[in-house]
Amino acid sequence: MKLNIAVLPGDGIGPEVTAQAVKVLKAIAMEFNHLFTFETALVGGSAIDKTGNPLPDETISICKKADAILFGAIGDTKYDIDPTAKIRPEQGLLKLRKTLDLYANIRPVIAYEDLLNKSSLKIKQIKGTDILIYRELTGGIYFGNKTLSDDGNYASDICAYSRDEIERIAHLAFKAAQSRKRKLTLVDKANVLESSRLWRKVVQELAPQYPNVALHYMFIDNAAMELIINPRQFDVILTENMFGDILSQEASVIVGSIGLLASASLSDKHAMFEPIHGAYTKAAYKGIANPIASILSVAMLLDHFGLEDEAALVRQGVDKSLKLHITTPDLNVKYGHVTTSKVGDFIEDFINNPEETNLNFTNIHLGQSTII
Ligand code: IPM
Ligand code: MG
């Protein structure tokens, strides 16, 4: 298969983790005889530094032409501490999502057997967790009308949704539930918010089209608690933009590190793949950033194009790296750790030759643990 992939490394740890994801894609292309071409473009704080614009026109046109987009991370603490900054890195990502109409953000949350003890939650609570979050990505409070009064003492953000915006992602979430455990939980705040009541109404009306899916409702405050008390009760979660942002980040506690959570953002025409973590500027260029979320985003990319064997091989490589503790320090306290690029090298090696890698890296790893 021929795929033209736009690579947007972004800020902070974005370039390092994305480089590992590209490494993995190249290994897959080689192994399975695909032709993947890559075109790199600027976004976020690094784009502001070079062009004054967090999403230059050139980046938009590269993304529009591409079959898929691989996104790193954006953000910079220098903007976070300055609420008056008019131009901000995040605007690049938000504008890209809106411009390409990437309305469905899909975030898998899986408790890996080999990482159960990395979570700060109890093993018996999280074991077996397998949740797919469908987060609406181009509406709600993120994109509603914003105001700031002239005297700077009053501000507002509108949370607005239309029936169409709800329907299109709800259909995707129902379909995903059909191919899984057939349970869909709509998370909202329908006891308070008018927009949430519209979500309930629309989703309820669609439910008869999916008679084999059990539809449940949960208020966001309760869901935030239930997600960590009893995550196994969830199969597919459907929710609006901001609730999805918060819940998915909370869910990373179940998995053990935010450095493990991948995502796909889809429209009817475009597809973007990105880790859910941010730019983590203070970790940049130290070789300590976990590239697994970015590498698992590659697996989602491959799945998206029906390349299931390829995606499975990437996931096996990730599993193997976790099993052998070939991981960055966020996951590896007991045995010392390897760098961001070594994790990428390991998974690349695994793709080239699964059996060999196992042996080589077990030895390397044992060597390391004796030193430490
Ligand atoms: C995410 C991020 C973004 C969001 C930021 C960087 C704008 O937190 O993808 O979860 O809030 O959507
Ligand atoms: Mg977030």
Side-chain angles (χ1 to χ4, degrees):
M1 182 180 278
K2 265 190 182 172
L3 287 179
N4 164 22
I5 299 162
V7 181
L8 276 56
D11 307 328
I13 60 169
E16 289 160 83
V17 297
T18 310
Q20 309 317 309
V22 169
K23 208 183 254 180
V24 166
L25 271 169
K26 286 183 175 162
I28 288 289
M30 188 103 116
E31 201 59 31
F32 290 83
N33 258 319
H34 298 304
L35 185 64
F36 296 162
T37 52
F38 302 92
E39 207 166 347
T40 304
L42 289 170
V43 72
S46 47
I48 299 175
D49 292 345
K50 292 208 175 89
T51 69
N53 180 352
L55 186 67
D57 289 346
E58 197 196 347
T59 300
I60 299 180
S61 78
I62 289 175
C63 290
K64 280 189 172 163
K65 280 192 323 232
D67 298 304
I69 303 154
L70 191 61
F71 193 95
I74 49 154
D76 191 323
T77 31
K78 77 178 178 221
Y79 298 96
D80 297 344
I81 56 171
D82 176 12
T84 62
K86 289 271 175 290
I87 301 177
R88 319 181 65 85
E90 289 78 5
Q91 291 162 346
L93 177 57
L94 297 177
K95 189 173 168 201
L96 188 61
R97 287 173 178 171
K98 196 71 177 172
T99 308
L100 302 182
D101 198 24
L102 300 166
Y103 65 87
N105 183 225
I106 304 159
R107 301 185 160 187
V109 179
I110 296 164
Y112 294 95
E113 278 294 314
D114 292 303
L115 294 181
L116 290 175
N117 62 349
K118 302 290 179 217
S119 172
S120 36
L121 302 171
K122 293 197 180 82
I123 293 181
K124 67 174 193 303
Q125 265 161 288
I126 57 173
K127 199 173 163 51
T129 299
D130 181 357
I131 306 171
L132 201 55
I133 299 177
Y134 272 73
R135 168 190 175 194
E136 202 290 329
L137 203 60
T138 50
I141 197 165
Y142 273 58
F143 293 97
N145 197 32
K146 296 179 189 301
T147 67
L148 177 64
S149 65
D150 290 341
D151 65 3
N153 292 327
Y154 177 85
S156 67
D157 300 272
I158 300 284
C159 180
Y161 270 106
S162 70
R163 168 178 286 274
D164 288 353
E165 285 176 308
I166 300 167
E167 274 185 359
R168 59 185 186 171
I169 186 164
H171 278 298
L172 294 183
F174 271 114
K175 285 183 187 139
Q178 275 183 324
S179 66
R180 293 168 50 96
K181 293 188 214 116
R182 294 191 284 281
K183 180 173 179 187
L184 178 64
T185 308
L186 173 64
V187 173
D188 61 26
K189 188 74 186 173
N191 50 346
V192 177
L193 302 177
E194 204 56 58
S195 54
S196 284
R197 286 192 278 273
L198 182 63
W199 272 84
R200 275 206 189 198
K201 185 167 177 295
V202 171
V203 172
Q204 238 164 43
E205 283 170 16
L206 297 186
Q209 295 179 41
Y210 303 91
N212 58 353
V213 175
L215 176 60
H216 294 247
Y217 307 96
M218 206 178 269
F219 296 138
I220 177 65
D221 47 352
N222 190 28
M225 182 180 76
E226 289 291 329
L227 186 63
I228 46 173
I229 291 180
N230 178 16
R232 272 191 305 270
Q233 72 183 289
F234 297 105
D235 178 21
V236 177
I237 290 177
L238 169 63
T239 192
E240 62 92 57
N241 203 345
M242 179 132 99
F243 297 158
D245 178 45
I246 298 167
L247 272 193
S248 57
Q249 183 119 354
E250 184 193 358
S252 71
V253 179
I254 300 169
V255 188
S257 165
I258 184 117
L260 294 166
L261 267 76
S263 83
S265 303
L266 309 177
S267 75
D268 302 329
K269 276 225 282 296
H270 301 283
M272 181 158 98
F273 301 85
E274 57 170 312
I276 86 157
H277 61 68
Y280 193 20
T281 319
K282 59 178 188 286
Y285 302 109
K286 293 189 175 143
I288 58 172
N290 191 339
I292 300 273
S294 193
I295 292 172
L296 287 173
S297 300
V298 159
M300 293 185 85
L301 182 157
L302 295 165
D303 265 337
H304 179 74
F305 291 98
L307 303 176
E308 284 165 19
D309 292 346
E310 290 83 338
L313 192 57
V314 172
R315 293 197 175 98
Q316 279 166 28
V318 168
D319 288 348
K320 187 67 92 182
S321 75
L322 297 177
K323 203 171 228 54
L324 298 178
H325 307 283
I326 314 288
T327 57
T328 44
D330 52 322
L331 287 177
N332 201 343
V333 277
K334 201 162 150 209
Y335 299 103
H337 65 267
V338 298
T339 59
T340 308
S341 71
K342 282 276 183 300
V343 175
D345 290 347
F346 173 80
I347 295 170
E348 179 190 35
D349 265 16
F350 178 87
I351 290 164
N352 293 335
N353 195 343
E355 304 308 318
E356 281 290 310
T357 306
N358 193 350
L359 265 177
N360 291 344
F361 273 77
T362 309
N363 292 341
I364 288 172
H365 188 64
L366 284 175
Q368 248 189 9
S369 59
T370 29
I371 295 163
I372 287 156

PDB file of all heavy atoms in Angstrom, residues 241-255:
ATOM      1  N   ASN A 241     -16.633  16.984  24.122  1.00  0.00           N
ATOM      2  CA  ASN A 241     -15.221  17.345  24.003  1.00  0.00           C
ATOM      3  C   ASN A 241     -14.477  17.481  25.343  1.00  0.00           C
ATOM      4  O   ASN A 241     -13.503  16.761  25.602  1.00  0.00           O
ATOM      5  CB  ASN A 241     -15.149  18.655  23.191  1.00  0.00           C
ATOM      6  CG  ASN A 241     -13.812  18.860  22.520  1.00  0.00           C
ATOM      7  OD1 ASN A 241     -12.845  18.198  22.867  1.00  0.00           O
ATOM      8  ND2 ASN A 241     -13.747  19.771  21.577  1.00  0.00           N
ATOM      9  N   MET A 242     -14.933  18.369  26.188  1.00  0.00           N
ATOM     10  CA  MET A 242     -14.152  18.624  27.401  1.00  0.00           C
ATOM     11  C   MET A 242     -14.224  17.474  28.403  1.00  0.00           C
ATOM     12  O   MET A 242     -13.216  17.119  29.012  1.00  0.00           O
ATOM     13  CB  MET A 242     -14.603  19.915  28.083  1.00  0.00           C
ATOM     14  CG  MET A 242     -13.806  20.165  29.345  1.00  0.00           C
ATOM     15  SD  MET A 242     -13.208  21.807  29.459  1.00  0.00           S
ATOM     16  CE  MET A 242     -14.412  22.493  30.532  1.00  0.00           C
ATOM     17  N   PHE A 243     -15.399  16.855  28.556  1.00  0.00           N
ATOM     18  CA  PHE A 243     -15.479  15.718  29.469  1.00  0.00           C
ATOM     19  C   PHE A 243     -14.538  14.607  28.990  1.00  0.00           C
ATOM     20  O   PHE A 243     -13.895  13.927  29.780  1.00  0.00           O
ATOM     21  CB  PHE A 243     -16.916  15.174  29.563  1.00  0.00           C
ATOM     22  CG  PHE A 243     -17.924  16.140  30.129  1.00  0.00           C
ATOM     23  CD1 PHE A 243     -19.279  15.990  29.868  1.00  0.00           C
ATOM     24  CD2 PHE A 243     -17.528  17.203  30.934  1.00  0.00           C
ATOM     25  CE1 PHE A 243     -20.221  16.865  30.396  1.00  0.00           C
ATOM     26  CE2 PHE A 243     -18.462  18.088  31.463  1.00  0.00           C
ATOM     27  CZ  PHE A 243     -19.816  17.925  31.192  1.00  0.00           C
ATOM     28  N   GLY A 244     -14.458  14.437  27.678  1.00  0.00           N
ATOM     29  CA  GLY A 244     -13.599  13.398  27.109  1.00  0.00           C
ATOM     30  C   GLY A 244     -12.127  13.697  27.340  1.00  0.00           C
ATOM     31  O   GLY A 244     -11.314  12.795  27.562  1.00  0.00           O
ATOM     32  N   ASP A 245     -11.776  14.956  27.262  1.00  0.00           N
ATOM     33  CA  ASP A 245     -10.393  15.367  27.522  1.00  0.00           C
ATOM     34  C   ASP A 245     -10.001  14.968  28.934  1.00  0.00           C
ATOM     35  O   ASP A 245      -8.961  14.332  29.159  1.00  0.00           O
ATOM     36  CB  ASP A 245     -10.289  16.893  27.342  1.00  0.00           C
ATOM     37  CG  ASP A 245      -8.893  17.414  27.648  1.00  0.00           C
ATOM     38  OD1 ASP A 245      -7.928  16.794  27.176  1.00  0.00           O
ATOM     39  OD2 ASP A 245      -8.780  18.437  28.365  1.00  0.00           O
ATOM     40  N   ILE A 246     -10.878  15.302  29.884  1.00  0.00           N
ATOM     41  CA  ILE A 246     -10.559  15.075  31.297  1.00  0.00           C
ATOM     42  C   ILE A 246     -10.610  13.576  31.628  1.00  0.00           C
ATOM     43  O   ILE A 246      -9.692  13.026  32.246  1.00  0.00           O
ATOM     44  CB  ILE A 246     -11.528  15.874  32.197  1.00  0.00           C
ATOM     45  CG1 ILE A 246     -11.363  17.383  31.920  1.00  0.00           C
ATOM     46  CG2 ILE A 246     -11.282  15.551  33.669  1.00  0.00           C
ATOM     47  CD1 ILE A 246     -12.451  18.263  32.505  1.00  0.00           C
ATOM     48  N   LEU A 247     -11.662  12.899  31.195  1.00  0.00           N
ATOM     49  CA  LEU A 247     -11.803  11.472  31.517  1.00  0.00           C
ATOM     50  C   LEU A 247     -10.663  10.638  30.939  1.00  0.00           C
ATOM     51  O   LEU A 247     -10.170   9.718  31.581  1.00  0.00           O
ATOM     52  CB  LEU A 247     -13.115  10.922  30.956  1.00  0.00           C
ATOM     53  CG  LEU A 247     -14.383  11.019  31.794  1.00  0.00           C
ATOM     54  CD1 LEU A 247     -15.453  10.137  31.174  1.00  0.00           C
ATOM     55  CD2 LEU A 247     -14.151  10.630  33.251  1.00  0.00           C
ATOM     56  N   SER A 248     -10.252  10.960  29.706  1.00  0.00           N
ATOM     57  CA  SER A 248      -9.206  10.134  29.088  1.00  0.00           C
ATOM     58  C   SER A 248      -7.872  10.330  29.798  1.00  0.00           C
ATOM     59  O   SER A 248      -7.100   9.392  29.955  1.00  0.00           O
ATOM     60  CB  SER A 248      -9.087  10.404  27.584  1.00  0.00           C
ATOM     61  OG  SER A 248      -8.827  11.760  27.341  1.00  0.00           O
ATOM     62  N   GLN A 249      -7.620  11.542  30.229  1.00  0.00           N
ATOM     63  CA  GLN A 249      -6.370  11.760  30.975  1.00  0.00           C
ATOM     64  C   GLN A 249      -6.435  11.044  32.327  1.00  0.00           C
ATOM     65  O   GLN A 249      -5.462  10.439  32.768  1.00  0.00           O
ATOM     66  CB  GLN A 249      -6.128  13.261  31.173  1.00  0.00           C
ATOM     67  CG  GLN A 249      -4.822  13.560  31.883  1.00  0.00           C
ATOM     68  CD  GLN A 249      -3.862  14.392  31.043  1.00  0.00           C
ATOM     69  OE1 GLN A 249      -4.102  14.666  29.873  1.00  0.00           O
ATOM     70  NE2 GLN A 249      -2.765  14.788  31.633  1.00  0.00           N
ATOM     71  N   GLU A 250      -7.587  11.087  32.964  1.00  0.00           N
ATOM     72  CA  GLU A 250      -7.761  10.369  34.229  1.00  0.00           C
ATOM     73  C   GLU A 250      -7.532   8.867  34.019  1.00  0.00           C
ATOM     74  O   GLU A 250      -6.901   8.191  34.826  1.00  0.00           O
ATOM     75  CB  GLU A 250      -9.176  10.610  34.787  1.00  0.00           C
ATOM     76  CG  GLU A 250      -9.383   9.979  36.151  1.00  0.00           C
ATOM     77  CD  GLU A 250     -10.844   9.941  36.578  1.00  0.00           C
ATOM     78  OE1 GLU A 250     -11.719  10.440  35.840  1.00  0.00           O
ATOM     79  OE2 GLU A 250     -11.107   9.389  37.659  1.00  0.00           O
ATOM     80  N   ALA A 251      -8.029   8.382  32.883  1.00  0.00           N
ATOM     81  CA  ALA A 251      -7.939   6.948  32.590  1.00  0.00           C
ATOM     82  C   ALA A 251      -6.490   6.472  32.454  1.00  0.00           C
ATOM     83  O   ALA A 251      -6.201   5.290  32.615  1.00  0.00           O
ATOM     84  CB  ALA A 251      -8.713   6.631  31.314  1.00  0.00           C
ATOM     85  N   SER A 252      -5.581   7.396  32.175  1.00  0.00           N
ATOM     86  CA  SER A 252      -4.182   6.979  32.013  1.00  0.00           C
ATOM     87  C   SER A 252      -3.620   6.442  33.332  1.00  0.00           C
ATOM     88  O   SER A 252      -2.663   5.675  33.341  1.00  0.00           O
ATOM     89  CB  SER A 252      -3.332   8.135  31.493  1.00  0.00           C
ATOM     90  OG  SER A 252      -3.167   9.106  32.493  1.00  0.00           O
ATOM     91  N   VAL A 253      -4.241   6.809  34.447  1.00  0.00           N
ATOM     92  CA  VAL A 253      -3.794   6.296  35.749  1.00  0.00           C
ATOM     93  C   VAL A 253      -4.004   4.781  35.812  1.00  0.00           C
ATOM     94  O   VAL A 253      -3.231   4.054  36.430  1.00  0.00           O
ATOM     95  CB  VAL A 253      -4.577   6.991  36.896  1.00  0.00           C
ATOM     96  CG1 VAL A 253      -4.147   6.453  38.252  1.00  0.00           C
ATOM     97  CG2 VAL A 253      -4.391   8.489  36.839  1.00  0.00           C
ATOM     98  N   ILE A 254      -5.042   4.314  35.138  1.00  0.00           N
ATOM     99  CA  ILE A 254      -5.326   2.872  35.112  1.00  0.00           C
ATOM    100  C   ILE A 254      -4.212   2.148  34.358  1.00  0.00           C
ATOM    101  O   ILE A 254      -3.753   1.077  34.741  1.00  0.00           O
ATOM    102  CB  ILE A 254      -6.677   2.605  34.395  1.00  0.00           C
ATOM    103  CG1 ILE A 254      -7.810   3.324  35.124  1.00  0.00           C
ATOM    104  CG2 ILE A 254      -6.949   1.115  34.249  1.00  0.00           C
ATOM    105  CD1 ILE A 254      -9.121   3.348  34.348  1.00  0.00           C
ATOM    106  N   VAL A 255      -3.761   2.769  33.278  1.00  0.00           N
ATOM    107  CA  VAL A 255      -2.785   2.115  32.397  1.00  0.00           C
ATOM    108  C   VAL A 255      -1.377   2.167  32.999  1.00  0.00           C
ATOM    109  O   VAL A 255      -0.537   1.324  32.703  1.00  0.00           O
ATOM    110  CB  VAL A 255      -2.807   2.786  31.005  1.00  0.00           C
ATOM    111  CG1 VAL A 255      -1.966   2.014  30.016  1.00  0.00           C
ATOM    112  CG2 VAL A 255      -4.241   2.870  30.490  1.00  0.00           C
TER     113      VAL A 255
END
